[in-house]
Amino acid sequence: MKTRSYTRWTLAGSVFAFGLLFLGLMGVLPTLAAGGDPNTAHIAVQLGNGDVEMRRITFTQESISGLDALELAGFEVEATEQGAICRVEGTGCPTTNCFCAYASQNGRFWKYFYLSGGTWEAYETTGAPDVHVTDGMVELWSWGQTPPLTTQEITATQAALQWLRARQQANGGYGNPSSTIDTVLAVAAANEDPTSWESAEGNSLLDYLAANGSTYIETGPERAEAAGKLAMTVAAADADPRDFGGMNLVISMTEVYNPETGAFGATNWDQAYGMLGWRASGEAIPMTATQELTSRINTDGGWGYSTGLQSDVDTTALMLQALVTGGEPVTSTAVMSGVNFLESAQTREYQLYLPLVLNRSGAQQATPEGGTQDAGFPVVPSQESNANSTAFAVQGLIAAGQDPLGPRFTVDGTTPISYLLSLQLPDGGFAYQDRALGSDVYATQQVIPALVGKPFPYLGRAVAEREALDWIRTRQQPDGSFEGFNPGSTLDAVLAIAAAGEETQSFVRDGNTPLDYLEVQASGYVTQSAAAAGKFLAGVVAAGGEPESFAGLNLVDKLMEFYDAETGAFGSSTFDQSWAIIGLVAANEAVPANAVTHLREIDAENGGWGFMPNAEEPDVDSTALTLQALAAAGVPRATADVDDAFAFLHAAQNPDGGFPGFGGATDAASTGLALQALAAYDEAPESLTWTTVITDGTASRLTLHTPVDAVLKLQTTEGGFAGFSGPNDPFSTYQALPGIVGVAYPPRVDD
């Protein structure tokens, strides 16, 4: 298998963070303790590809100008003498012609927003030099994009990442493998790329783990815990646990697994991390492992570090994540007992060790003798709440289908999340318990996954790619074709294999390759429609065939037989036109200009494209395929019809981050196509621009969702993706794979 580098589309671009906690629908505003804390504000820059960089600033003045704030945040800014912002981070226009892109790039210029009640409001008449940025403000500079999602938890997370990144050591790590692993998990939870976290010497987080991982899992009695947690971490970082730093972590976990008892090692933490690492690596968790963990419940409903030890919050929360990952229903007795234990452990009595308490309006609320019902969680019941146990509890509750922001876990208007936010200091880090002791690395690492609402494990693209390719290989038929509605399905499979960087001709069944099958089908298929001819042309090129001499045919000539030079049309549908253009580009043939013009002119009435020309309503699949054709033909991102198409996709995106098929629910094939469209224009699908939350009460609104998250959740442990024919649907799998690896049609095949 070829090696390929993964570029994780980031939640906040280069990871620099900001952390305003705002009022309104988004929840409770944490108030910093009095006593000389500096003022803070939060500056965001949204680039043309939707990538968002966010940074927290501190200042001692009562207010600073918007221009000063932008520069204080460390962004590279070019402005006129009058203070008009022309270029930020290299995007924009020169100061000699500040609005050069207004006409040429569909009205683009640097738009200036501020956050008010959870909504972005534009500065209509006030420029950056005249804006007064005061304590607690959130500012956004956007280059022609829909303003991104932001919540109080997102801003707090970004500030924490900013603080944490500054503490990376020269070797890329955080002092030891365990702390480095916790950092990777925090970074991945926030949809950042751990490989982009590099020291000044060029060492990344994964470089450190690759160099030190074997020592980590081979020393100490907790070998199962270490192997499982490292495997889970590697997968979360979009690397493959089967091949990392010279290690096969799946084998490492197998060596400590007892198939007769279902036990991974000796402790409950061994068991949980073994199960979580196993699943993150793409393996199905044995039923015996889940049964073993349920058998270890204490009489109070919780779990201790090992069997027979006192139940504690951290362990119980981790066990819940492992149980649900192992297939235990959230309504099961085991899961509900764990939830009940956590509820009983939550701090609901007045405590005296915190300086303030917050109500839902964000104001300080007086409590007897200065105490607070902090709604956090202690290590064990009746002790003081702390950041780490509270964060673990939040992850466990969400895994168990509970909402930490809901009434069940709200105490006099405070929630576990508001408790965590009360521990954040102006520098962005989190205290463990006492803010006076300053920010704590371990607390900050642990709080981040809780603030974005993500329980373990995090599924990764490298594992998903490997598993999908392995499943596709099992779908090959004796004649060299692939299962599905053929020959179209075989072409879909060939394009997916090529997108993943594999040699299509290495897929052989009974001596037949995909090209062998396509040679037999060529003459009948390419005459069916322009869509068939264009797709066939793209597929043959992806498989390494000769487009001008294949099965006795010149496939380019066969495609051009459908072309009407007068109208620019290839056939009668959007798919005809798009696949024709994609096929020509794949074959390195010139695309007629009026063919591109025709495709742009047949868009739907409401932006985007439908299957038929000028459809009343667009759909995701047609729009996504058309965007790939336009990008392949060289149509710039900053054009009105492309802008409208992305606006349609943004509006069509489901709350779970995915994109709907024709039934409305998130569909693996449609989401895969949409991800390809985003890749065609270098959009950042894990940025805040494409991040969603669920607000209808069916899940916690705390959890952030992206298109990548959505499609990975639809993959089975067999490697296929759910679709029309069931859990492992060929069409959905062939379409999801290019989206996962972020490759648009036509895939670029190495010579």
Side-chain angles (χ1 to χ4, degrees):
M1 179 175 177
K2 291 183 180 179
T3 60
R4 57 181 290 118
S5 62
Y6 286 82
T7 300
R8 191 179 192 93
W9 298 291
T10 62
L11 176 69
S14 64
V15 187
F16 288 105
F18 75 110
L20 173 75
L21 313 167
F22 56 88
L23 297 175
L25 297 177
M26 294 304 176
V28 183
L29 176 69
T31 303
L32 296 176
D37 283 344
N39 293 326
T40 62
H42 309 86
I43 314 301
V45 169
Q46 185 181 35
L47 301 174
N49 67 348
D51 203 6
V52 181
E53 297 186 12
M54 300 182 175
R55 304 177 187 177
R56 166 180 278 203
I57 60 173
T58 60
F59 52 98
T60 57
Q61 305 94 315
E62 183 177 344
S63 68
I64 59 176
S65 74
L67 179 57
D68 289 340
L70 188 58
E71 293 176 336
L72 183 60
F75 290 108
E76 183 180 336
V77 180
E78 295 180 33
T80 65
E81 292 183 0
Q82 293 75 30
I85 304 301
C86 304
R87 186 175 283 152
V88 183
E89 294 295 292
T91 298
C93 297
T95 55
T96 54
N97 188 9
C98 198
F99 295 94
C100 68
Y102 189 81
S104 63
Q105 295 189 26
N106 196 31
R108 274 174 168 69
F109 62 95
W110 280 106
K111 298 178 182 179
Y112 193 12
F113 299 86
Y114 63 96
L115 198 64
S116 176
T119 301
W120 292 112
E121 302 287 348
Y123 286 110
E124 298 289 355
T125 59
T126 307
D130 300 318
V131 167
H132 295 283
V133 178
T134 58
D135 186 43
M137 291 184 69
V138 179
E139 308 260 295
L140 168 69
W141 291 90
S142 177
W143 183 255
Q145 291 283 316
T146 302
L149 170 74
T150 194
T151 67
Q152 60 176 344
E153 294 84 16
I154 289 172
T155 56
T157 295
Q158 295 306 297
L161 287 169
Q162 181 176 331
W163 181 85
L164 195 59
R165 187 167 193 178
R167 279 142 189 84
Q168 189 173 15
Q169 297 178 0
N171 61 9
Y174 279 75
N176 56 67
S178 179
S179 183
T180 305
I181 283 172
D182 287 330
T183 301
V184 173
L185 291 171
V187 172
N191 294 325
E192 298 288 355
D193 178 8
T195 63
S196 72
W197 278 46
E198 292 184 344
S199 66
E201 291 74 15
N203 297 309
S204 74
L205 291 168
L206 288 197
D207 291 336
Y208 176 86
L209 290 181
N212 296 277
S214 59
T215 301
Y216 173 67
I217 64 176
E218 291 171 3
T219 58
E222 296 84 14
R223 185 180 177 192
E225 176 186 336
K229 191 172 183 180
L230 181 59
M232 183 180 73
T233 302
V234 169
D238 286 332
D240 193 341
R242 284 188 175 271
D243 183 15
F244 180 74
M247 298 175 286
N248 185 327
L249 295 170
V250 173
I251 292 178
S252 297
M253 290 183 287
T254 303
E255 291 174 345
V256 294
Y257 177 66
N258 185 332
E260 294 183 3
T261 64
F264 284 95
T267 73
N268 288 334
W269 283 57
D270 283 332
Q271 189 71 9
Y273 276 121
M275 293 168 64
L276 292 167
W278 199 254
R279 176 66 187 93
S281 300
E283 309 297 322
I285 297 175
M287 184 179 298
T288 51
T290 303
Q291 293 171 340
E292 173 66 15
L293 192 53
T294 60
S295 71
R296 300 180 182 182
I297 303 173
N298 290 336
T299 56
D300 59 8
W303 285 261
Y305 179 74
S306 291
T307 302
L309 295 183
Q310 178 186 5
S311 297
D312 66 81
V313 166
D314 301 49
T315 300
T316 300
L318 185 62
M319 300 308 112
L320 288 175
Q321 295 169 75
L323 282 177
V324 173
T325 300
E328 194 74 6
V330 296
T331 55
S332 71
T333 299
V335 172
M336 292 309 300
S337 73
V339 171
N340 292 337
F341 171 79
L342 291 180
E343 182 180 21
S344 69
Q346 187 181 20
T347 302
R348 293 174 177 270
E349 300 297 327
Y350 284 112
Q351 305 293 326
L352 302 180
Y353 56 91
L354 285 179
L356 55 87
V357 65
L358 307 168
N359 60 29
R360 285 198 177 276
S361 70
Q364 288 187 245
Q365 174 178 309
T367 58
E369 300 181 3
T372 177
Q373 294 169 294
D374 63 40
F377 289 84
V379 177
V380 295
S382 301
Q383 290 188 357
E384 295 180 358
S385 298
N386 68 78
N388 295 73
S389 297
T390 302
F392 263 113
V394 167
Q395 288 181 279
L397 291 172
I398 291 176
Q402 302 293 314
D403 185 3
L405 300 174
R408 182 174 182 180
F409 299 97
T410 299
V411 182
D412 283 354
T414 63
T415 70
I417 297 301
S418 57
Y419 167 72
L420 289 176
L421 295 176
S422 74
L423 294 177
Q424 189 169 35
L425 287 112
D427 62 13
F430 284 82
Y432 174 70
Q433 284 180 324
D434 186 351
R435 288 167 49 88
L437 298 179
S439 296
D440 178 82
V441 169
Y442 182 41
T444 304
Q445 291 164 337
Q446 186 59 54
V447 166
I448 289 171
L451 290 182
V452 297
K454 291 188 177 181
F456 297 142
Y458 310 138
L459 304 179
R461 289 194 298 273
V463 172
E465 177 187 358
R466 168 172 52 80
E467 293 287 302
L469 284 169
D470 288 347
W471 187 84
I472 289 173
R473 195 177 291 276
T474 69
R475 300 300 99 187
Q476 191 171 19
Q477 308 301 301
D479 61 0
S481 67
F482 291 92
E483 181 181 5
F485 297 101
N486 273 307
S489 289
T490 295
L491 292 168
D492 287 330
V494 164
L495 290 166
I497 292 166
E502 290 289 295
E503 294 288 346
T504 304
Q505 292 299 87
S506 70
F507 284 67
V508 183
R509 175 79 184 275
D510 290 358
N512 293 310
T513 69
L515 277 183
D516 293 331
Y517 168 78
L518 292 175
E519 283 184 354
V520 175
Q521 302 296 323
S523 59
Y525 191 71
V526 298
T527 59
Q528 293 182 9
S529 66
K535 188 174 186 178
F536 198 93
L537 179 55
V540 167
V541 172
E546 294 294 335
E548 295 182 355
S549 179
F550 185 78
L553 302 172
N554 185 319
L555 298 178
V556 176
D557 288 348
K558 300 302 293 184
L559 172 59
M560 293 306 294
E561 290 178 6
F562 292 96
Y563 180 57
D564 184 332
E566 183 175 344
T567 64
F570 280 95
S572 60
S573 73
T574 300
F575 270 50
D576 284 326
Q577 199 72 13
S578 296
W579 272 118
I581 291 173
I582 290 168
L584 288 173
V585 173
N588 290 318
E589 296 288 331
V591 179
N594 59 345
V596 179
T597 300
H598 180 74
L599 181 56
R600 298 175 70 175
E601 289 177 344
I602 61 174
D603 58 345
E605 295 181 8
N606 298 321
W609 281 262
F611 182 76
M612 297 305 295
N614 305 121
E616 290 186 8
E617 296 293 336
D619 66 77
V620 169
D621 294 38
S622 300
T623 299
L625 184 65
T626 301
L627 284 170
Q628 293 175 74
L630 293 178
V635 176
R637 171 67 176 84
T639 58
D641 44 9
V642 175
D643 273 349
D644 290 345
F646 277 108
F648 161 70
L649 289 179
H650 197 274
Q653 190 177 10
N654 282 334
D656 67 359
F659 290 88
F662 289 100
T666 289
D667 177 81
S670 296
T671 304
L673 266 171
L675 284 168
Q676 286 181 271
L678 268 61
Y681 278 103
D682 295 321
E683 288 280 316
E686 286 187 320
S687 71
L688 289 177
T689 301
W690 296 100
T691 297
T692 61
V693 293
I694 296 174
T695 58
D696 64 0
T698 57
S700 176
R701 67 97 179 144
L702 191 65
T703 303
L704 302 184
H705 303 272
T706 72
V708 177
D709 296 332
V711 74
L712 291 182
K713 288 178 181 177
L714 294 175
Q715 189 176 31
T716 70
T717 53
E718 288 82 13
F721 286 79
F724 177 78
S725 66
N728 294 286
D729 178 69
F731 174 73
S732 294
T733 305
Y734 306 151
Q735 197 58 70
L737 179 54
I740 289 169
V741 300
V743 174
Y745 291 144
R748 304 301 178 188
V749 181
D750 296 334
D751 294 333

